[in-house]
Amino acid sequence: MRNGPYESEGARRHFAYSKVDVMKLDTKCLFAGKLERIRDWEEKPHSHAFCEIMLVEAGAGEIVVDGKRYPIKKGDIVVYNPDAVHGEKTGEEGLAVAFFGIRNFHVESLPSDHLISEGASPVLHTGEEEERFSFYFSSLVSEVATAEPYGEMMAKYLARLILIGILRLADISESKFVSSAVFARIYHYLSKNFAAIESMDAVCNALHVSKYYLSHVFKKHTGTSPMQYVTERRIAYAKQLLSETVLSAGEIADACGYRDRAVFFKAFKRETGLTPGEYRAQSTR
């Protein structure tokens, strides 16, 4: 393990989600159990190909994830993404944890089976929700250990409850799930089709959303309007073509979705301060 100070609370980036659909796949609980570690115990760093989630039931210590150190205490939830190199270390009072492995879930914008983004803190404080999480974890461990009828199904849904509880604890509401998922769909459509979009009405028809909702959701996430984003993408593409090809300004206007050359020249000058010809001359010097 590397030596070094703990990351300060203010410097951490905690669980952050922008586009979430955690129930998208057939979530599968791989195993569950409980462990007690004696004082001054240190685990050898290791990794695995699935997500592991742990609840600290007693004691305190620290974890090391990809070389970064984080203090943990009773009531904390720890998330190890797949392939994250991690290990635990106890303090003077030892450590008791409940844990489980899970796969086949998907948080949009993250790789499959990842619950936190790169650079985010793997430690989440349960606070007033500690009792609820303790019940979920204990029930999950019990279902796996006793092999009662329908135990696998119970374990699957208890694991899902914990995932949902983590998202709720991170202050991600259902309405945010919906608006973020819609934003992801809008953003993908505009990014892919910017050169072919004729109007926002056509976009609304393609995505089955109202013009007000389209504008509201997109501006909330980007700070700009959908049409301004389309214009920015078109001008960025035009700049690339001016720099890298010998296409005429008219041909570039067509390639970028401008059927009227005058409109293209006006938009280009407004966004760059230069005409297409002036920009090409500067970029090819």
Side-chain angles (χ1 to χ4, degrees):
M1 290 188 175
R2 299 182 185 177
N3 295 321
Y6 293 130
E7 293 192 343
S8 66
E9 198 68 30
R12 289 187 183 179
R13 290 198 301 117
H14 288 277
F15 292 67
Y17 306 91
S18 59
K19 319 171 192 68
V20 181
D21 181 7
V22 74
M23 306 301 284
K24 190 170 184 178
L25 300 180
D26 185 21
T27 309
K28 181 175 179 60
C29 180
L30 302 176
F31 58 84
K34 293 191 177 188
L35 281 176
E36 291 189 13
R37 302 298 195 186
I38 60 174
R39 57 182 293 181
D40 298 324
W41 173 89
E42 186 171 352
E43 181 182 40
K44 183 178 180 181
H46 62 284
S47 65
H48 35 62
F50 49 82
C51 183
E52 184 178 10
I53 302 175
M54 181 174 77
L55 174 68
V56 181
E57 296 187 315
E62 69 179 32
I63 61 170
V64 178
V65 182
D66 294 329
K68 295 182 179 180
R69 304 165 74 90
Y70 305 86
I72 56 173
K73 63 182 185 303
K74 183 178 182 297
D76 284 349
I77 283 179
V78 177
V79 174
Y80 297 129
N81 276 338
D83 302 318
V85 179
H86 62 275
E88 291 105 38
K89 182 180 180 181
T90 64
E92 293 186 357
E93 53 187 315
L95 196 64
V97 300
F99 60 91
F100 68 98
I102 189 169
R103 70 189 334 163
N104 290 8
F105 68 92
H106 184 221
V107 174
E108 248 184 275
S109 84
L110 296 180
S112 293
D113 299 337
H114 284 60
L115 189 52
I116 55 175
S117 58
E118 184 178 357
S121 171
V123 181
L124 184 66
H125 309 301
T126 59
E128 295 180 355
E129 294 295 309
E130 180 182 349
E131 185 176 347
R132 183 194 300 270
F133 277 104
S134 180
F135 172 75
Y136 288 159
F137 272 84
S138 294
S139 298
L140 175 57
V141 171
S142 177
E143 288 294 339
V144 172
T146 57
E148 293 288 333
Y150 304 105
E152 184 176 347
M153 184 179 295
M154 288 290 291
K156 172 180 176 178
Y157 284 102
L158 284 164
R160 286 186 176 186
L161 280 173
I162 293 172
L163 290 183
I164 295 168
I166 288 172
L167 297 179
R168 176 185 286 177
L169 199 60
D171 196 29
I172 305 298
S173 68
E174 185 177 351
S175 62
K176 289 180 182 178
F177 295 171
V178 174
S179 65
S180 295
V182 171
F183 166 72
R185 192 155 54 95
I186 294 170
Y187 185 83
H188 177 75
Y189 184 88
L190 296 181
S191 298
K192 184 179 179 181
N193 300 287
F194 68 88
I197 292 171
E198 296 183 359
S199 68
M200 284 300 105
D201 286 331
V203 175
C204 292
N205 290 335
L207 297 177
H208 307 291
V209 297
S210 70
K211 187 181 292 187
Y212 169 79
Y213 191 56
L214 173 78
S215 177
H216 174 75
V217 169
F218 195 84
K219 193 164 186 177
K220 175 183 175 183
H221 287 271
T222 67
T224 190
S225 70
M227 200 64 237
Q228 178 60 29
Y229 173 74
V230 169
T231 298
E232 290 171 358
R233 287 298 303 266
R234 286 176 171 178
I235 299 305
Y237 187 44
K239 289 162 68 176
Q240 179 184 345
L241 294 177
L242 286 166
S243 300
E244 299 177 1
T245 74
V246 294
L247 294 174
S248 69
E251 291 171 323
I252 291 174
D254 287 338
C256 294
Y258 289 100
R259 304 296 172 253
D260 186 324
R261 187 179 303 182
V263 173
F264 168 62
F265 272 69
K266 184 177 179 180
F268 194 92
K269 182 73 178 286
R270 184 177 64 248
E271 294 294 321
T272 67
L274 301 169
T275 66
E278 290 170 339
Y279 181 86
R280 171 170 274 168
Q282 284 193 6
S283 64
T284 55
R285 284 177 184 173

